[in-house]
Amino acid sequence: MDNVEFAGEYSNTDRKMIEDNLGTIASTPYGSAPYARDIGVHRIALPTQYAKNEYASELIAQAEEWEDRAEVTQVDVDNNGKVKVVIADVGN
């Protein structure tokens, strides 16, 4: 994951694991993971704002499904395809 911003208190271990898990979700083509065909995002070209919004929505939904330690509240994609994810304080 290019950039993950955490609100609230998370241990360094949790931060690293959450970043790694979100990175895996974001880089896995949907349906390609053995034994977990429901994980990943559809390959979406990101030149338009609509496509960026679709990608952000899908990443938020996937994070909600697969990463229960964190609540993704925002995903921003810049014009170069770099992704920033904001994690809410979930009272850890």
Side-chain angles (χ1 to χ4, degrees):
M1 186 84 336
D2 297 325
N3 185 8
V4 178
E5 181 180 306
F6 290 87
E9 297 296 320
Y10 288 88
S11 70
N12 288 338
T13 301
D14 279 345
R15 286 175 183 258
K16 178 68 174 142
M17 291 175 69
I18 291 167
E19 288 173 352
D20 288 348
N21 289 344
L22 292 177
T24 298
I25 292 167
S27 64
T28 301
Y30 186 83
S32 68
Y35 307 109
R37 298 288 183 199
D38 295 351
I39 197 169
V41 293
H42 292 87
R43 294 291 106 195
I44 300 172
L46 299 173
T48 67
Q49 190 59 45
Y50 176 80
K52 291 176 186 178
N53 290 344
E54 284 291 311
Y55 176 81
S57 176
E58 190 168 6
L59 186 56
I60 289 169
Q62 284 288 304
E64 185 176 297
E65 176 72 23
W66 297 101
E67 181 50 79
D68 59 355
R69 291 172 291 194
E71 179 184 344
V72 176
T73 58
Q74 183 177 341
V75 175
D76 293 321
V77 183
D78 70 12
N79 291 333
N80 297 321
K82 296 235 184 224
V83 178
K84 176 185 175 187
V85 175
V86 178
I87 307 292
D89 182 358
V90 292
N92 290 336

